[in-house]
Amino acid sequence: MMRCSIVLAALLATGGALSPLRAQKTPPPTTQRPQTQPATTPPTRGKLPPTPATQQNGAQPSAQPVTAAPASVQPPASVTPQAARPAVGASTGTYTAGLAMPPYTGASTEDAWEYTARLGRMLDSTIVTLVETFRNTSGQPMIGASSPATLSQRERDRWARCRDLYWDLTTYAAAVRALKQSLGPDPALQRAAADLDSAFNKSLATVECDNVASMIAAPDRWTPWQDQYEAAAQRFYRDFYGQVREVHERDRALVSALNRFLPQGHRVAPPSGLPTNPPFAGAAPS
């Protein structure tokens, strides 16, 4: 009896089996997951246009990783978190100039033809509207602009309008990509749709409208602001017209190939071609 009392007293004195389990020791700092810190500069590249479904429900497009391009290939334009998250609009859930193309929902080849006819007309209108937005501008960024406040209200409005048209144009690219398999087996029509899809894939400069509009709306995300504004605007002015003109030419070819299959009253008047020279002040018409 005395031996049991001694053992029990020893256990109580040392906090043994009768005491609660203690919490585990905190792991050393090297094994803990570091807390995520807010980015100090906007990430670059990698933004993909929203899909038509994204534009309907207002979801935000996500950035995708991009691998380095070889020296001979022009890299995509830089992108910011502000540009990658369009503000919610009243009707479509994203930035828009009211010229977005709704997703294709037809079930027959004839439905696809009618949808393509509408796409051909609306794409012509959207590109012409974009070109007119920059009609008689200098075709150069405002040199020395150190902040959005140094830009005129007209200049700020122009970039906001261009951003809206950029997002509308992404709906046409998505529509053509999804439509190609629904147009029927005609080789000429299939080739015209593929050529338009390819032209959209090469049209990269209009994303700069989104970037510059984001610089104006959220200048603190861009450092140094002046350098990034000038670089983005220069890329846009250098390349946008040639690229959207090529998209427009492929649109005209698609309309011509499509008209062979449409009934007389449903045929599309082929869009007029755009001039060779850009719309900037001093550029000679052609």
Side-chain angles (χ1 to χ4, degrees):
M1 184 60 135
M2 181 177 298
R3 182 177 301 172
C4 291
S5 299
I6 293 172
V7 172
L8 181 59
L11 287 173
L12 291 172
T14 58
L18 298 180
S19 63
L21 294 176
R22 298 181 182 273
Q24 294 183 5
K25 183 184 296 184
T26 303
T30 56
T31 66
Q32 299 182 46
R33 180 178 300 176
Q35 295 182 349
T36 302
Q37 301 296 325
T40 56
T41 57
T44 58
R45 301 182 177 89
K47 181 177 62 180
L48 295 178
T51 62
T54 296
Q55 292 185 326
Q56 292 298 319
N57 60 26
Q60 298 169 358
S62 60
Q64 301 293 328
V66 174
T67 56
S72 60
V73 177
Q74 178 183 345
S78 60
V79 185
T80 67
Q82 178 77 10
R85 292 193 291 271
V88 176
S91 58
T92 64
T94 188
Y95 289 129
T96 179
L99 294 168
M101 189 69 191
Y104 173 64
T105 58
S108 68
T109 301
E110 289 74 17
D111 290 340
W113 292 344
E114 291 291 339
Y115 178 86
T116 303
R118 180 184 177 190
L119 183 149
R121 291 189 299 266
M122 289 183 61
L123 179 55
D124 170 54
S125 297
T126 304
I127 290 176
V128 169
T129 301
L130 175 61
V131 172
E132 289 303 312
T133 299
F134 290 91
R135 176 73 60 191
N136 294 325
T137 60
S138 66
Q140 294 291 331
M142 179 178 173
I143 304 301
S146 57
S147 72
T150 58
L151 303 177
S152 68
Q153 186 61 50
R154 178 177 294 182
E155 181 75 357
R156 295 195 293 269
D157 290 345
R158 181 180 293 117
W159 286 111
R161 175 71 166 170
C162 185
R163 173 200 58 199
D164 295 345
L165 290 165
Y166 159 72
W167 283 107
D168 283 347
L169 281 170
T170 65
T171 66
Y172 293 88
V176 171
R177 196 167 301 121
L179 184 66
K180 289 188 296 182
Q181 301 304 316
S182 303
L183 291 172
D186 181 74
L189 187 56
Q190 284 286 333
R191 184 168 56 252
D195 288 345
L196 179 55
D197 184 33
S198 177
F200 270 121
N201 289 336
K202 296 174 183 177
S203 184
L204 304 175
T206 52
V207 73
E208 299 296 357
C209 293
D210 196 19
N211 290 333
V212 175
S214 296
M215 294 178 192
I216 293 170
D220 291 344
R221 294 177 179 268
W222 300 78
T223 303
W225 192 91
Q226 180 175 331
D227 292 347
Q228 298 200 57
Y229 156 73
E230 290 181 0
Q234 285 172 348
R235 284 191 295 267
F236 173 79
Y237 285 124
R238 182 189 64 209
D239 297 330
F240 105 93
Y241 185 72
Q243 291 175 0
V244 299
R245 184 176 180 273
E246 179 63 17
V247 171
H248 192 259
E249 286 296 301
R250 296 308 102 205
D251 181 44
R252 296 175 67 214
L254 178 61
V255 167
S256 296
L258 177 67
N259 275 337
R260 296 182 295 118
F261 301 95
L262 296 177
Q264 183 67 37
H266 293 251
R267 292 176 184 170
V268 182
S272 300
L274 296 175
T276 303
N277 291 333
F280 308 136
S286 61

